[in-house]
Amino acid sequence: SSFCLFLGVCGSEFSILRSPQSVAFRDGSWPIPGERIPDVAALTMGFSVEEDLPWPGLGVGDLFHRPQATVLVTVKGVDKLPVKGFSYPIENAVPFSLDSVANAIHTLFSEETPVVLQLAPSEERVYMVGKANAVFEDLSVTLRQLRNRLFQDSSILSSLPLNSLSRNNEVDLLFLSELQVLHDIASLLSRHKHLAKDHSPDLYSLELSGLEEIGKRYGEDSQQFKDASQILVDSLQKFADEMFNLYGGNAVVEVVAVKEFNSPLSRKTRSILQASQSKNENPYNLAYPYNYDYSVIFNIVLWMMIGLALAVIVISYNLWNMDPGYDSIIYRMTNQKIRMD
């Protein structure tokens, strides 16, 4: 399995909580475009991206030892979280998803047991694919399940200092239930450690908006918002350390915080009508879209043709200048037979 990246969204800041030695993040204030965050996740896991990422914050690292998983946590409603590690400003904080990374894992490791878990508890949005995700079937994903989970004996309410937060307020319970999900993911994985020790990469993408709702309910200057922010930072750091240790230290842990996205997230979809229209002839006679494999195919064909051409020239030259005296015995015997006749 592969755990490489833990990512949270802190307004306009992208932070690295933990990372292995095989992934080289540099300390600096280089801004990272919001739409390229999925490419950072893909590159740290060893996957290729369609467009080069000229971002100095990420070095080449060890190409032969890639991280064992990526965990991306998106925290909405706050400009910055005081987490430990490298931090980079985000320019153009647009919504992003790790669908491309999830598809690459599912395509390349479909016969193995990768963990691909994408979850937004407050929106009851969950996406799980692959054989390994049977382990997470008991994970609370709906609001009703999350509320019931909080009032069980083994919930975080028994150990978490609530301070000014209340277990009787729905907004507070939503925030706490998201922290419960973090705890349960690490707990389930600790009981199934074989998933963290296999050879397939893992992906965890979580979106937390409970802090944003607390800010709307009490105000960002309220004691509740300050307490919730501190509890969230502590919970994220604990979650990052637990996941990092479960994967044997072979993990990158990142956090991004965003106060508000610049535009809503739109996912590309195709309809039957679009599929039928694409079969029609192009009325504008436009060229085909550029294929990023073109340069690779072009070089393979070019150098193969050059090699074959040189081989033909060398062989033809040697045949033309061949000395009959050094030819095979078949030629000499045939020549003598002709002379005797």
PDB file of all heavy atoms in Angstrom, residues 302-332:
ATOM      1  N   LEU A 302      11.055   7.629 -35.251  1.00  0.00           N
ATOM      2  CA  LEU A 302      12.160   8.323 -35.909  1.00  0.00           C
ATOM      3  C   LEU A 302      13.468   7.551 -35.778  1.00  0.00           C
ATOM      4  O   LEU A 302      14.136   7.255 -36.781  1.00  0.00           O
ATOM      5  CB  LEU A 302      12.308   9.722 -35.314  1.00  0.00           C
ATOM      6  CG  LEU A 302      13.529  10.514 -35.797  1.00  0.00           C
ATOM      7  CD1 LEU A 302      13.430  10.799 -37.287  1.00  0.00           C
ATOM      8  CD2 LEU A 302      13.675  11.809 -35.006  1.00  0.00           C
ATOM      9  N   TRP A 303      13.836   7.201 -34.536  1.00  0.00           N
ATOM     10  CA  TRP A 303      15.126   6.558 -34.342  1.00  0.00           C
ATOM     11  C   TRP A 303      15.129   5.125 -34.850  1.00  0.00           C
ATOM     12  O   TRP A 303      16.172   4.610 -35.257  1.00  0.00           O
ATOM     13  CB  TRP A 303      15.514   6.612 -32.873  1.00  0.00           C
ATOM     14  CG  TRP A 303      15.791   8.018 -32.431  1.00  0.00           C
ATOM     15  CD1 TRP A 303      15.020   8.795 -31.631  1.00  0.00           C
ATOM     16  CD2 TRP A 303      16.908   8.827 -32.821  1.00  0.00           C
ATOM     17  NE1 TRP A 303      15.578  10.036 -31.470  1.00  0.00           N
ATOM     18  CE2 TRP A 303      16.753  10.091 -32.194  1.00  0.00           C
ATOM     19  CE3 TRP A 303      18.023   8.611 -33.618  1.00  0.00           C
ATOM     20  CZ2 TRP A 303      17.661  11.122 -32.347  1.00  0.00           C
ATOM     21  CZ3 TRP A 303      18.941   9.646 -33.784  1.00  0.00           C
ATOM     22  CH2 TRP A 303      18.752  10.876 -33.156  1.00  0.00           C
ATOM     23  N   MET A 304      13.987   4.480 -34.872  1.00  0.00           N
ATOM     24  CA  MET A 304      13.929   3.144 -35.466  1.00  0.00           C
ATOM     25  C   MET A 304      14.164   3.224 -36.976  1.00  0.00           C
ATOM     26  O   MET A 304      14.891   2.395 -37.548  1.00  0.00           O
ATOM     27  CB  MET A 304      12.573   2.506 -35.159  1.00  0.00           C
ATOM     28  CG  MET A 304      12.446   1.059 -35.664  1.00  0.00           C
ATOM     29  SD  MET A 304      10.874   0.339 -35.220  1.00  0.00           S
ATOM     30  CE  MET A 304      11.059   0.226 -33.447  1.00  0.00           C
ATOM     31  N   MET A 305      13.555   4.221 -37.634  1.00  0.00           N
ATOM     32  CA  MET A 305      13.761   4.388 -39.077  1.00  0.00           C
ATOM     33  C   MET A 305      15.217   4.750 -39.377  1.00  0.00           C
ATOM     34  O   MET A 305      15.811   4.254 -40.344  1.00  0.00           O
ATOM     35  CB  MET A 305      12.832   5.471 -39.612  1.00  0.00           C
ATOM     36  CG  MET A 305      11.350   5.089 -39.584  1.00  0.00           C
ATOM     37  SD  MET A 305      10.288   6.422 -40.155  1.00  0.00           S
ATOM     38  CE  MET A 305      10.849   6.601 -41.837  1.00  0.00           C
ATOM     39  N   ILE A 306      15.813   5.627 -38.562  1.00  0.00           N
ATOM     40  CA  ILE A 306      17.223   5.986 -38.782  1.00  0.00           C
ATOM     41  C   ILE A 306      18.118   4.764 -38.601  1.00  0.00           C
ATOM     42  O   ILE A 306      19.044   4.523 -39.386  1.00  0.00           O
ATOM     43  CB  ILE A 306      17.624   7.122 -37.819  1.00  0.00           C
ATOM     44  CG1 ILE A 306      16.894   8.420 -38.188  1.00  0.00           C
ATOM     45  CG2 ILE A 306      19.140   7.331 -37.843  1.00  0.00           C
ATOM     46  CD1 ILE A 306      17.152   9.565 -37.234  1.00  0.00           C
ATOM     47  N   GLY A 307      17.846   3.967 -37.562  1.00  0.00           N
ATOM     48  CA  GLY A 307      18.634   2.765 -37.335  1.00  0.00           C
ATOM     49  C   GLY A 307      18.525   1.772 -38.477  1.00  0.00           C
ATOM     50  O   GLY A 307      19.528   1.187 -38.922  1.00  0.00           O
ATOM     51  N   LEU A 308      17.308   1.559 -38.976  1.00  0.00           N
ATOM     52  CA  LEU A 308      17.118   0.639 -40.096  1.00  0.00           C
ATOM     53  C   LEU A 308      17.807   1.154 -41.352  1.00  0.00           C
ATOM     54  O   LEU A 308      18.412   0.379 -42.108  1.00  0.00           O
ATOM     55  CB  LEU A 308      15.623   0.423 -40.348  1.00  0.00           C
ATOM     56  CG  LEU A 308      14.866  -0.365 -39.270  1.00  0.00           C
ATOM     57  CD1 LEU A 308      13.372  -0.382 -39.576  1.00  0.00           C
ATOM     58  CD2 LEU A 308      15.393  -1.791 -39.180  1.00  0.00           C
ATOM     59  N   ALA A 309      17.722   2.476 -41.594  1.00  0.00           N
ATOM     60  CA  ALA A 309      18.369   3.047 -42.778  1.00  0.00           C
ATOM     61  C   ALA A 309      19.889   2.874 -42.706  1.00  0.00           C
ATOM     62  O   ALA A 309      20.541   2.507 -43.702  1.00  0.00           O
ATOM     63  CB  ALA A 309      18.001   4.527 -42.909  1.00  0.00           C
ATOM     64  N   LEU A 310      20.472   3.135 -41.552  1.00  0.00           N
ATOM     65  CA  LEU A 310      21.919   2.948 -41.399  1.00  0.00           C
ATOM     66  C   LEU A 310      22.315   1.489 -41.569  1.00  0.00           C
ATOM     67  O   LEU A 310      23.356   1.172 -42.169  1.00  0.00           O
ATOM     68  CB  LEU A 310      22.361   3.457 -40.016  1.00  0.00           C
ATOM     69  CG  LEU A 310      22.292   4.970 -39.799  1.00  0.00           C
ATOM     70  CD1 LEU A 310      22.641   5.327 -38.363  1.00  0.00           C
ATOM     71  CD2 LEU A 310      23.227   5.692 -40.765  1.00  0.00           C
ATOM     72  N   ALA A 311      21.493   0.588 -41.052  1.00  0.00           N
ATOM     73  CA  ALA A 311      21.789  -0.840 -41.200  1.00  0.00           C
ATOM     74  C   ALA A 311      21.788  -1.246 -42.664  1.00  0.00           C
ATOM     75  O   ALA A 311      22.659  -2.005 -43.122  1.00  0.00           O
ATOM     76  CB  ALA A 311      20.774  -1.662 -40.403  1.00  0.00           C
ATOM     77  N   VAL A 312      20.823  -0.761 -43.448  1.00  0.00           N
ATOM     78  CA  VAL A 312      20.760  -1.079 -44.876  1.00  0.00           C
ATOM     79  C   VAL A 312      21.986  -0.529 -45.604  1.00  0.00           C
ATOM     80  O   VAL A 312      22.569  -1.203 -46.466  1.00  0.00           O
ATOM     81  CB  VAL A 312      19.458  -0.518 -45.488  1.00  0.00           C
ATOM     82  CG1 VAL A 312      19.478  -0.625 -47.011  1.00  0.00           C
ATOM     83  CG2 VAL A 312      18.246  -1.257 -44.940  1.00  0.00           C
ATOM     84  N   ILE A 313      22.388   0.703 -45.261  1.00  0.00           N
ATOM     85  CA  ILE A 313      23.553   1.308 -45.912  1.00  0.00           C
ATOM     86  C   ILE A 313      24.828   0.517 -45.608  1.00  0.00           C
ATOM     87  O   ILE A 313      25.625   0.207 -46.504  1.00  0.00           O
ATOM     88  CB  ILE A 313      23.703   2.774 -45.457  1.00  0.00           C
ATOM     89  CG1 ILE A 313      22.531   3.611 -45.974  1.00  0.00           C
ATOM     90  CG2 ILE A 313      25.034   3.350 -45.934  1.00  0.00           C
ATOM     91  CD1 ILE A 313      22.514   5.039 -45.453  1.00  0.00           C
ATOM     92  N   VAL A 314      25.044   0.166 -44.348  1.00  0.00           N
ATOM     93  CA  VAL A 314      26.252  -0.575 -43.962  1.00  0.00           C
ATOM     94  C   VAL A 314      26.282  -1.946 -44.616  1.00  0.00           C
ATOM     95  O   VAL A 314      27.308  -2.394 -45.149  1.00  0.00           O
ATOM     96  CB  VAL A 314      26.325  -0.701 -42.430  1.00  0.00           C
ATOM     97  CG1 VAL A 314      27.451  -1.636 -42.014  1.00  0.00           C
ATOM     98  CG2 VAL A 314      26.521   0.673 -41.805  1.00  0.00           C
ATOM     99  N   ILE A 315      25.150  -2.647 -44.580  1.00  0.00           N
ATOM    100  CA  ILE A 315      25.098  -3.980 -45.195  1.00  0.00           C
ATOM    101  C   ILE A 315      25.330  -3.900 -46.699  1.00  0.00           C
ATOM    102  O   ILE A 315      26.077  -4.708 -47.286  1.00  0.00           O
ATOM    103  CB  ILE A 315      23.755  -4.648 -44.886  1.00  0.00           C
ATOM    104  CG1 ILE A 315      23.648  -4.949 -43.383  1.00  0.00           C
ATOM    105  CG2 ILE A 315      23.578  -5.940 -45.679  1.00  0.00           C
ATOM    106  CD1 ILE A 315      22.281  -5.430 -42.953  1.00  0.00           C
ATOM    107  N   SER A 316      24.716  -2.925 -47.370  1.00  0.00           N
ATOM    108  CA  SER A 316      24.887  -2.772 -48.823  1.00  0.00           C
ATOM    109  C   SER A 316      26.336  -2.450 -49.167  1.00  0.00           C
ATOM    110  O   SER A 316      26.896  -2.977 -50.143  1.00  0.00           O
ATOM    111  CB  SER A 316      23.959  -1.666 -49.343  1.00  0.00           C
ATOM    112  OG  SER A 316      22.605  -1.979 -49.069  1.00  0.00           O
ATOM    113  N   TYR A 317      26.963  -1.597 -48.387  1.00  0.00           N
ATOM    114  CA  TYR A 317      28.365  -1.229 -48.644  1.00  0.00           C
ATOM    115  C   TYR A 317      29.279  -2.451 -48.528  1.00  0.00           C
ATOM    116  O   TYR A 317      30.167  -2.672 -49.366  1.00  0.00           O
ATOM    117  CB  TYR A 317      28.799  -0.141 -47.671  1.00  0.00           C
ATOM    118  CG  TYR A 317      30.245   0.231 -47.778  1.00  0.00           C
ATOM    119  CD1 TYR A 317      30.682   1.131 -48.763  1.00  0.00           C
ATOM    120  CD2 TYR A 317      31.192  -0.304 -46.909  1.00  0.00           C
ATOM    121  CE1 TYR A 317      32.014   1.473 -48.867  1.00  0.00           C
ATOM    122  CE2 TYR A 317      32.537   0.027 -47.012  1.00  0.00           C
ATOM    123  CZ  TYR A 317      32.941   0.916 -47.996  1.00  0.00           C
ATOM    124  OH  TYR A 317      34.267   1.249 -48.117  1.00  0.00           O
ATOM    125  N   ASN A 318      29.078  -3.248 -47.485  1.00  0.00           N
ATOM    126  CA  ASN A 318      29.920  -4.423 -47.289  1.00  0.00           C
ATOM    127  C   ASN A 318      29.674  -5.475 -48.369  1.00  0.00           C
ATOM    128  O   ASN A 318      30.615  -6.153 -48.807  1.00  0.00           O
ATOM    129  CB  ASN A 318      29.667  -5.026 -45.904  1.00  0.00           C
ATOM    130  CG  ASN A 318      30.340  -4.233 -44.795  1.00  0.00           C
ATOM    131  OD1 ASN A 318      31.519  -4.401 -44.525  1.00  0.00           O
ATOM    132  ND2 ASN A 318      29.579  -3.335 -44.183  1.00  0.00           N
ATOM    133  N   LEU A 319      28.456  -5.630 -48.814  1.00  0.00           N
ATOM    134  CA  LEU A 319      28.184  -6.579 -49.897  1.00  0.00           C
ATOM    135  C   LEU A 319      28.837  -6.126 -51.203  1.00  0.00           C
ATOM    136  O   LEU A 319      29.356  -6.930 -51.979  1.00  0.00           O
ATOM    137  CB  LEU A 319      26.673  -6.737 -50.074  1.00  0.00           C
ATOM    138  CG  LEU A 319      25.938  -7.540 -49.000  1.00  0.00           C
ATOM    139  CD1 LEU A 319      24.437  -7.510 -49.254  1.00  0.00           C
ATOM    140  CD2 LEU A 319      26.420  -8.985 -48.977  1.00  0.00           C
ATOM    141  N   TRP A 320      28.791  -4.835 -51.469  1.00  0.00           N
ATOM    142  CA  TRP A 320      29.346  -4.309 -52.717  1.00  0.00           C
ATOM    143  C   TRP A 320      30.870  -4.466 -52.754  1.00  0.00           C
ATOM    144  O   TRP A 320      31.442  -4.706 -53.815  1.00  0.00           O
ATOM    145  CB  TRP A 320      28.971  -2.835 -52.848  1.00  0.00           C
ATOM    146  CG  TRP A 320      29.429  -2.215 -54.137  1.00  0.00           C
ATOM    147  CD1 TRP A 320      30.564  -1.498 -54.371  1.00  0.00           C
ATOM    148  CD2 TRP A 320      28.750  -2.292 -55.388  1.00  0.00           C
ATOM    149  NE1 TRP A 320      30.653  -1.107 -55.668  1.00  0.00           N
ATOM    150  CE2 TRP A 320      29.535  -1.587 -56.335  1.00  0.00           C
ATOM    151  CE3 TRP A 320      27.560  -2.887 -55.814  1.00  0.00           C
ATOM    152  CZ2 TRP A 320      29.159  -1.458 -57.661  1.00  0.00           C
ATOM    153  CZ3 TRP A 320      27.190  -2.742 -57.139  1.00  0.00           C
ATOM    154  CH2 TRP A 320      27.980  -2.052 -58.049  1.00  0.00           C
ATOM    155  N   ASN A 321      31.525  -4.327 -51.610  1.00  0.00           N
ATOM    156  CA  ASN A 321      32.984  -4.403 -51.553  1.00  0.00           C
ATOM    157  C   ASN A 321      33.485  -5.751 -51.058  1.00  0.00           C
ATOM    158  O   ASN A 321      34.620  -5.874 -50.592  1.00  0.00           O
ATOM    159  CB  ASN A 321      33.517  -3.294 -50.640  1.00  0.00           C
ATOM    160  CG  ASN A 321      33.247  -1.905 -51.186  1.00  0.00           C
ATOM    161  OD1 ASN A 321      33.970  -1.407 -52.048  1.00  0.00           O
ATOM    162  ND2 ASN A 321      32.187  -1.285 -50.695  1.00  0.00           N
ATOM    163  N   MET A 322      32.676  -6.757 -51.164  1.00  0.00           N
ATOM    164  CA  MET A 322      33.073  -8.073 -50.686  1.00  0.00           C
ATOM    165  C   MET A 322      34.152  -8.685 -51.600  1.00  0.00           C
ATOM    166  O   MET A 322      34.065  -8.585 -52.817  1.00  0.00           O
ATOM    167  CB  MET A 322      31.847  -8.992 -50.648  1.00  0.00           C
ATOM    168  CG  MET A 322      32.145 -10.395 -50.126  1.00  0.00           C
ATOM    169  SD  MET A 322      30.676 -11.429 -50.196  1.00  0.00           S
ATOM    170  CE  MET A 322      29.636 -10.593 -49.038  1.00  0.00           C
ATOM    171  N   ASP A 323      35.161  -9.303 -50.988  1.00  0.00           N
ATOM    172  CA  ASP A 323      36.240  -9.966 -51.729  1.00  0.00           C
ATOM    173  C   ASP A 323      35.828 -11.419 -51.968  1.00  0.00           C
ATOM    174  O   ASP A 323      35.654 -12.186 -51.012  1.00  0.00           O
ATOM    175  CB  ASP A 323      37.533  -9.903 -50.925  1.00  0.00           C
ATOM    176  CG  ASP A 323      38.711 -10.452 -51.712  1.00  0.00           C
ATOM    177  OD1 ASP A 323      38.498 -10.985 -52.826  1.00  0.00           O
ATOM    178  OD2 ASP A 323      39.840 -10.335 -51.203  1.00  0.00           O
ATOM    179  N   PRO A 324      35.672 -11.839 -53.243  1.00  0.00           N
ATOM    180  CA  PRO A 324      35.251 -13.229 -53.510  1.00  0.00           C
ATOM    181  C   PRO A 324      36.226 -14.246 -52.945  1.00  0.00           C
ATOM    182  O   PRO A 324      35.853 -15.370 -52.608  1.00  0.00           O
ATOM    183  CB  PRO A 324      35.204 -13.290 -55.035  1.00  0.00           C
ATOM    184  CG  PRO A 324      35.035 -11.874 -55.462  1.00  0.00           C
ATOM    185  CD  PRO A 324      35.772 -11.043 -54.466  1.00  0.00           C
ATOM    186  N   GLY A 325      37.524 -13.880 -52.809  1.00  0.00           N
ATOM    187  CA  GLY A 325      38.491 -14.822 -52.278  1.00  0.00           C
ATOM    188  C   GLY A 325      38.227 -15.206 -50.835  1.00  0.00           C
ATOM    189  O   GLY A 325      38.675 -16.247 -50.382  1.00  0.00           O
ATOM    190  N   TYR A 326      37.532 -14.357 -50.115  1.00  0.00           N
ATOM    191  CA  TYR A 326      37.223 -14.639 -48.721  1.00  0.00           C
ATOM    192  C   TYR A 326      35.791 -15.093 -48.549  1.00  0.00           C
ATOM    193  O   TYR A 326      35.278 -15.118 -47.434  1.00  0.00           O
ATOM    194  CB  TYR A 326      37.465 -13.387 -47.874  1.00  0.00           C
ATOM    195  CG  TYR A 326      38.919 -13.027 -47.751  1.00  0.00           C
ATOM    196  CD1 TYR A 326      39.477 -12.078 -48.596  1.00  0.00           C
ATOM    197  CD2 TYR A 326      39.727 -13.658 -46.813  1.00  0.00           C
ATOM    198  CE1 TYR A 326      40.825 -11.752 -48.504  1.00  0.00           C
ATOM    199  CE2 TYR A 326      41.064 -13.341 -46.719  1.00  0.00           C
ATOM    200  CZ  TYR A 326      41.616 -12.385 -47.545  1.00  0.00           C
ATOM    201  OH  TYR A 326      42.935 -12.062 -47.458  1.00  0.00           O
ATOM    202  N   ASP A 327      35.162 -15.464 -49.652  1.00  0.00           N
ATOM    203  CA  ASP A 327      33.765 -15.888 -49.550  1.00  0.00           C
ATOM    204  C   ASP A 327      33.700 -17.346 -49.107  1.00  0.00           C
ATOM    205  O   ASP A 327      34.714 -18.034 -48.940  1.00  0.00           O
ATOM    206  CB  ASP A 327      33.082 -15.688 -50.905  1.00  0.00           C
ATOM    207  CG  ASP A 327      31.585 -15.588 -50.745  1.00  0.00           C
ATOM    208  OD1 ASP A 327      31.112 -15.620 -49.590  1.00  0.00           O
ATOM    209  OD2 ASP A 327      30.885 -15.483 -51.767  1.00  0.00           O
ATOM    210  N   SER A 328      32.537 -17.873 -48.992  1.00  0.00           N
ATOM    211  CA  SER A 328      32.343 -19.217 -48.442  1.00  0.00           C
ATOM    212  C   SER A 328      32.838 -20.282 -49.427  1.00  0.00           C
ATOM    213  O   SER A 328      33.044 -20.040 -50.619  1.00  0.00           O
ATOM    214  CB  SER A 328      30.862 -19.444 -48.152  1.00  0.00           C
ATOM    215  OG  SER A 328      30.130 -19.456 -49.359  1.00  0.00           O
ATOM    216  N   ILE A 329      33.013 -21.508 -48.920  1.00  0.00           N
ATOM    217  CA  ILE A 329      33.475 -22.630 -49.731  1.00  0.00           C
ATOM    218  C   ILE A 329      32.458 -22.990 -50.801  1.00  0.00           C
ATOM    219  O   ILE A 329      32.810 -23.536 -51.852  1.00  0.00           O
ATOM    220  CB  ILE A 329      33.763 -23.843 -48.821  1.00  0.00           C
ATOM    221  CG1 ILE A 329      34.493 -24.938 -49.607  1.00  0.00           C
ATOM    222  CG2 ILE A 329      32.483 -24.362 -48.181  1.00  0.00           C
ATOM    223  CD1 ILE A 329      34.970 -26.070 -48.722  1.00  0.00           C
ATOM    224  N   ILE A 330      31.216 -22.653 -50.562  1.00  0.00           N
ATOM    225  CA  ILE A 330      30.175 -22.939 -51.559  1.00  0.00           C
ATOM    226  C   ILE A 330      30.458 -22.162 -52.833  1.00  0.00           C
ATOM    227  O   ILE A 330      30.388 -22.682 -53.949  1.00  0.00           O
ATOM    228  CB  ILE A 330      28.797 -22.593 -50.997  1.00  0.00           C
ATOM    229  CG1 ILE A 330      28.509 -23.454 -49.764  1.00  0.00           C
ATOM    230  CG2 ILE A 330      27.715 -22.775 -52.047  1.00  0.00           C
ATOM    231  CD1 ILE A 330      27.198 -23.109 -49.087  1.00  0.00           C
ATOM    232  N   TYR A 331      30.842 -20.887 -52.691  1.00  0.00           N
ATOM    233  CA  TYR A 331      31.120 -20.069 -53.861  1.00  0.00           C
ATOM    234  C   TYR A 331      32.324 -20.617 -54.615  1.00  0.00           C
ATOM    235  O   TYR A 331      32.319 -20.722 -55.835  1.00  0.00           O
ATOM    236  CB  TYR A 331      31.361 -18.627 -53.415  1.00  0.00           C
ATOM    237  CG  TYR A 331      31.679 -17.683 -54.548  1.00  0.00           C
ATOM    238  CD1 TYR A 331      30.664 -17.072 -55.264  1.00  0.00           C
ATOM    239  CD2 TYR A 331      33.002 -17.420 -54.903  1.00  0.00           C
ATOM    240  CE1 TYR A 331      30.965 -16.206 -56.303  1.00  0.00           C
ATOM    241  CE2 TYR A 331      33.302 -16.562 -55.946  1.00  0.00           C
ATOM    242  CZ  TYR A 331      32.265 -15.954 -56.646  1.00  0.00           C
ATOM    243  OH  TYR A 331      32.554 -15.104 -57.678  1.00  0.00           O
ATOM    244  N   ARG A 332      33.410 -20.994 -53.895  1.00  0.00           N
ATOM    245  CA  ARG A 332      34.619 -21.464 -54.560  1.00  0.00           C
ATOM    246  C   ARG A 332      34.381 -22.815 -55.242  1.00  0.00           C
ATOM    247  O   ARG A 332      34.842 -23.051 -56.349  1.00  0.00           O
ATOM    248  CB  ARG A 332      35.761 -21.570 -53.536  1.00  0.00           C
ATOM    249  CG  ARG A 332      36.195 -20.219 -52.994  1.00  0.00           C
ATOM    250  CD  ARG A 332      37.561 -20.302 -52.330  1.00  0.00           C
ATOM    251  NE  ARG A 332      37.558 -21.192 -51.184  1.00  0.00           N
ATOM    252  CZ  ARG A 332      37.255 -20.832 -49.945  1.00  0.00           C
ATOM    253  NH1 ARG A 332      36.925 -19.565 -49.709  1.00  0.00           N
ATOM    254  NH2 ARG A 332      37.288 -21.703 -48.951  1.00  0.00           N
TER     255      ARG A 332
END
